[in-house]
Each structure stands twice: as structure tokens, then as C-alpha cells.
């Protein structure tokens, strides 16, 4: 439910300032109001929905400037995680990362967007945990949660799956040879490209 409503917001089906009526949404998705209410609560937490006391939830305005600043922070965090992963990952962690990455080539070949998206989430989670720094991992996970709907939007762009795989390949190769600087640079560049691909779906506006 969170994903369905978020996608409607990102793609402009639901516009900034639009009132989000729980009953209407429940009828649209043929569910009870409970999952809708819970989804709106989660969307409030990531900033796509706003709610004032005793008022209905509304679609917020996510500006290009705000989105760019979040991606900037994400790129820095991913770069740190990849660098530390190259320095700290165990042999088994490196092998699992490599095997997972190589297996994802089948998803790219099939054009399996939803499956690749799930793989992408797990791939980056392994980078965060491979840093072996609980605080940095928490920061990366929190920032990713806020950007998740926008990061998901990138896979609607033609050819993005193959390019994402190639970018991951650069990160994995650097980690396998324990080159922290190269891994960090590759991860930073990867998220910067994701930012460019994703912000095309952001709604307009100024801070």
C-alpha cells in the first residue's frame, strides 16, 4: 500500500496539496481503511504526505532542491559504506556480494524490473552492513527509506537496469580487490547517476 500510493504521488497521479481521503483510497485499492491509514503514516514519515491535527492527509510538495540535498547526503553515505566495505568485509561477505551481483545479470537480461529492484535494495543493504559501523548503517538505511520511492522510479527509464548493473560491477570489483578509494568513488558516482535518473519524476516547486 505504501508503494502504491507513493508511486501515484511520484508520477503525478496525486498532485501536491491534494487531499488523501482514507475511504476513497480504501475503495480504490479494495482494502479496509486500516492499511491505508498505516500507509499514510509511513508516507508522512518519509515526507511525501503531510497531516495536521484533526485534518486529512495531503500530498506534500517535494522540491527539486530538497530532493537533490537528500541524494547528496545519500551519495556521501554510500561512498563511505563502500569504502569501509572494501576495507572491512570478511571473505565470506565479499563472496556473497559477488555471487549476488553476478546472479542479478539474469534479471537484467529478462528486464525483470520488480525483481531487480528487490535485488538492488539487498545489494545496497549489504554495502551498508559490510561497513561494520552500526551508526553509519543506521544513517544510510534511514536516508534510503526517505528516498526509496524516488530511487525506485529510476527503473522506469529505458536501459536503466543494464546501466545499474554496470555501476554495481564497478563497486563490487573495487571491494573484491580491497580498494577502498575506488569503491567509495564508484558508489558515490552510482548514487549521483541514480539522482539524475530519479529526479525527472520529482514534482516542481521552489523552497
Amino acid at each position: 500500500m505504501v508503494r502504491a500510493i507513493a508511486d501515484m504521488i511520484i508520477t503525478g497521479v496525486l498532485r501536491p496539496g491534494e487531499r488523501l481521503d482514507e475511504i476513497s483510497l480504501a475503495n480504490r485499492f479494495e482494502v479496509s481503511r486500516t492499511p491505508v491509514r498505516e500507509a499514510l503514516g509511513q508516507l508522512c514519515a518519509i515526507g511525501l504526505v503531510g497531516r495536521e491535527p484533526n485534518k486529512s492527509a495531503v500530498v506534500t510538495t517535494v522540491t527539486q532542491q530538497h530532493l537533490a540535498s537528500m541524494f547528496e547526503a545519500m551519495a556521501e553515505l554510500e561512498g563511505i559504506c563502500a569504502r569501509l566495505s572494501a576495507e572491512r568485509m570478511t571473505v565470506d561477505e565479499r563472496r556473497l556480494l559477488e555471487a549476488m551481483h553476478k546472479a542479478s545479470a539474469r534479471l537484467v537480461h529478462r528486464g525483470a524490473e520488480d525483481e531487480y529492484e528487490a535485488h538492488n535494495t539487498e545489494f545496497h543493504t549489504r554495502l551498508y552492513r559490510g561497513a561494520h559501523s552500526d551508526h553509519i548503517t543506521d544513517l544510510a538505511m534511514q536516508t534510503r527509506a526517505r528516498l526509496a520511492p524516488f530511487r525506485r522510479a529510476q527503473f522506469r527509464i529505458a536501459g536503466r537496469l543494464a546501466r545499474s548493473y554496470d555501476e554495481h560491477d564497478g563497486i563490487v570489483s573495487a571491494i573484491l580487490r580491497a580498494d577502498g578509494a575506488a569503491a567509495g568513488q564508484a558508489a558515490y558516482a552510482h548514487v549521483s547517476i541514480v539522482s539524475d535518473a530519479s529526479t525527472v519524476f520529482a514534482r516542481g516547486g521552489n523552497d
Side-chain angles (χ1 to χ4, degrees):
M1 186 58 60
V2 172
R3 173 174 177 160
I5 298 174
D7 283 350
M8 291 172 67
I9 294 173
I10 299 303
T11 56
V13 175
L14 297 172
R15 305 297 298 172
E18 186 169 342
R19 181 171 168 268
L20 298 172
D21 180 68
E22 291 180 5
I23 295 176
S24 297
L25 289 170
N27 290 336
R28 181 196 288 258
F29 294 108
E30 299 182 343
V31 296
S32 70
R33 291 178 64 180
T34 299
V36 172
R37 187 179 303 113
E38 292 174 350
L40 292 179
Q42 293 183 50
L43 291 168
C44 281
I46 64 175
L48 286 179
V49 170
R51 187 197 295 271
E52 295 182 9
N54 302 316
K55 291 186 178 181
S56 298
V58 297
V59 178
T60 60
T61 298
V62 178
T63 66
Q64 291 283 357
Q65 293 92 333
H66 182 60
L67 189 57
S69 71
M70 286 196 292
F71 268 111
E72 183 178 49
M74 189 79 262
E76 294 288 354
L77 287 167
E78 295 254 5
I80 292 169
C81 287
R83 176 175 61 79
L84 292 178
S85 287
E87 297 169 357
R88 299 177 179 178
M89 266 188 170
T90 65
V91 172
D92 285 344
E93 285 175 326
R94 293 172 203 269
R95 287 173 178 166
L96 287 171
L97 181 69
E98 181 183 26
M100 178 189 184
H101 168 61
K102 288 183 175 179
S104 71
R106 297 195 303 271
L107 305 179
V108 175
H109 180 71
R110 286 170 27 216
E113 293 181 9
D114 289 343
E115 292 176 68
Y116 188 85
E117 181 200 328
H119 153 76
N120 186 63
T121 298
E122 179 60 25
F123 176 87
H124 286 275
T125 297
R126 286 182 184 273
L127 292 185
Y128 307 158
R129 291 177 177 162
H132 292 277
S133 173
D134 291 343
H135 184 62
I136 291 175
T137 297
D138 287 345
L139 288 174
M141 297 284 277
Q142 291 167 15
T143 306
R144 181 179 68 180
R146 294 183 68 85
L147 283 170
F150 296 96
R151 293 184 74 154
R152 186 164 60 245
Q154 67 175 302
F155 297 121
R156 296 193 183 95
I157 298 175
R160 180 60 198 147
L161 263 63
R163 289 193 291 274
S164 175
Y165 179 88
D166 289 342
E167 291 157 20
H168 284 184
D169 195 65
I171 298 169
V172 172
S173 296
I175 289 175
L176 292 178
R177 63 176 186 268
D179 188 338
Q185 291 168 3
Y188 183 94
H190 172 55
V191 177
S192 296
I193 293 169
V194 171
S195 173
D196 292 339
S198 302
T199 51
V200 69
F201 293 96
R203 299 177 302 281
N206 296 304
D207 284 333

